[in-house]
Amino acid sequence: MAEERLRIAIQKSGRLSDGSFELLKSCGLKVSRGRDKLYGRVQEMPIDVLLLRDDDIPAFVADNACDIGIVGQNVFEEELLSETHEAPAEEVMQLGFARCRLLLAAPKEWNFDGANDLASKRIATSYPALTKAWLEREGVEAKVVMMKGSVEVAPRLKIADAVCDIVSTGATLDANGLKPVATVFDSEAILIRNAEKFSAEKQAIFDALIKRINGVLRSKDAKYIMMNAPRSAVEAITEFLPGADAPTVLELAGNPDKVAIHAVCRESVFWDTLEELKKLGASAILVLPIEKMMP
Ligand code: PRT
Ligand code: ZN
């Protein structure tokens, strides 16, 4: 019998593809792309990679053409709300990259004073379902105009009064004379899976991959922190360390009152953290990156 392989759909090129390839790489998976570049094979695990347009990913996963996929939450939710599939794909987890927001934006000169100002106005968007759901929640009736791209130019062309568009830095809105007036949806890349039960073999591959992804995500902000401190300060320092479990405390040779403290911090360690540690009596503080972590 042929070996079962897990099929993952990722974006071929665009704002999700670097993050998706990087995630697979951090999981120890190298994707060798086929000549047609639509298909890649992973050597290290029985996984095949399909390279698609992001918009096609939810449907490919829902239809079983792929088992799992990486897609923006915005695209996935839009598809869910549009109810195009009887058994849509399911969200497995957030992946922490390609963060962006779907924002309602209006011309800067509009003295915008809340959602009610949108009543009877025209809103251009590539996300009509998410936009309509937000309008409904706000109890506002407006006309939603679907645009596939270049949404931000709609007010200037008098196609719409306002837009509902994906924003990351806000530079595009600003360059088009628009200002954000409300957040409709917060998004980041997510892992989705087919809703049907996997075969035992496929489930085992899936579980192994999820374990690796969790390990990668957990180690992302994590740092290994080392410092010397007076023994009397150990308690205060341990309490202060961000997201650290039981640190290792070692006696320094020839100095019974001084110890070395080693700990894994699961949250970001900032300069203020180091300054605070110094105030608590720590010295010779070292912060090191962690490459991988498995509990
Ligand atoms: O070709 P394909 O269909 O696969 O790709 P696409 O062009 O439809 O999508 P792509 O690659 O642009 O985006 C894929 C996903 O990345 C989106 O669905 C979001 O989940 C996420 N993402 C993150 C973004 C952005 N950031 C983003 N900034 N998607 C789009 N943008 C656009 C935004 O609409 C604006 O027009 O980028 C422009 C610049 O943004 P600012 O605010 O930084 O100026
Ligand atoms: Zn797309």
Side-chain angles (χ1 to χ4, degrees):
M1 209 180 85
E3 174 198 45
E4 276 245 54
R5 297 180 71 86
L6 187 80
R7 289 158 70 94
I8 177 166
I10 63 177
Q11 190 189 27
K12 187 168 181 246
S13 73
R15 289 189 169 85
L16 291 164
S17 41
D18 284 353
S20 305
F21 278 110
E22 208 166 287
L23 177 68
L24 294 181
K25 194 169 154 215
S26 311
C27 289
L29 308 176
K30 271 199 246 64
V31 183
S32 50
R33 286 198 188 194
R35 242 185 317 165
D36 58 0
K37 300 216 174 129
L38 292 176
Y39 177 80
R41 221 177 147 87
V42 169
Q43 301 298 336
E44 297 80 2
M45 278 171 96
I47 294 177
D48 289 336
V49 182
L50 257 90
L51 302 160
L52 305 172
R53 293 211 43 188
D54 69 336
D55 319 73
D56 293 333
I57 294 175
F60 264 66
V61 175
D63 294 339
N64 232 338
C66 292
D67 303 299
I68 60 175
I70 296 176
V71 71
Q73 224 164 358
N74 49 318
V75 168
F76 181 63
E77 281 297 321
E78 178 71 19
E79 177 95 0
L80 278 189
L81 290 173
S82 319
E83 288 177 5
T84 41
H85 281 85
E86 265 174 44
E90 290 172 357
E91 177 172 339
V92 180
M93 65 200 291
Q94 299 187 318
L95 298 173
F97 64 90
R99 290 210 170 94
C100 57
R101 285 183 299 167
L102 183 62
L103 295 184
L104 258 163
K108 284 176 189 163
E109 57 280 7
W110 186 343
N111 198 355
F112 196 87
D113 189 33
N116 283 330
D117 280 10
L118 292 165
S120 312
K121 300 285 193 226
R122 281 169 309 156
I123 304 169
T125 185
S126 307
Y127 298 90
L130 281 166
T131 307
K132 281 177 193 162
W134 182 85
L135 287 168
E136 214 160 281
R137 281 202 301 280
E138 295 291 322
V140 178
E141 278 194 39
K143 183 160 168 45
V144 174
V145 183
M146 168 67 174
M147 278 178 78
K148 282 260 180 196
S150 309
V151 172
E152 64 280 354
V153 301
R156 240 187 308 142
L157 299 180
K158 310 278 180 234
I159 299 168
D161 304 291
V163 302
C164 188
D165 198 12
I166 297 289
V167 175
S168 59
T169 61
T172 305
L173 286 189
D174 195 54
N176 285 282
L178 301 169
K179 61 177 178 191
V181 294
T183 302
V184 169
F185 192 75
D186 282 301
S187 179
E188 65 184 81
I190 56 169
L191 187 76
I192 57 172
R193 61 161 287 167
N194 180 267
E196 274 172 45
K197 200 167 182 283
F198 290 152
S199 70
E201 285 148 88
K202 222 171 234 186
Q203 185 66 38
I205 309 167
F206 176 76
D207 290 343
L209 178 63
I210 297 292
K211 209 182 246 174
R212 289 193 184 188
I213 293 178
N214 274 322
V216 171
L217 297 183
R218 220 176 291 124
S219 64
K220 221 174 200 174
D221 288 330
K223 293 280 179 284
Y224 195 76
I225 183 162
M226 305 194 286
M227 72 203 84
N228 294 341
R231 193 179 284 280
S232 57
V234 169
E235 203 176 325
I237 286 176
T238 331
E239 260 175 43
F240 177 74
L241 284 173
D245 320 321
T248 309
V249 179
L250 308 160
E251 191 176 301
L252 287 183
N255 193 344
D257 295 332
K258 246 188 154 185
V259 292
I261 304 176
H262 293 191
V264 171
C265 289
R266 290 181 199 283
E267 293 155 30
S268 306
V269 176
F270 298 105
W271 282 107
D272 343 357
T273 316
L274 304 192
E275 277 153 17
E276 197 54 41
L277 286 169
K278 254 196 119 58
K279 275 192 214 149
L280 292 170
S283 58
I285 311 171
L286 276 181
V287 180
L288 308 173
I290 294 175
E291 198 178 285
K292 293 187 182 65
M293 227 156 75
M294 194 169 278

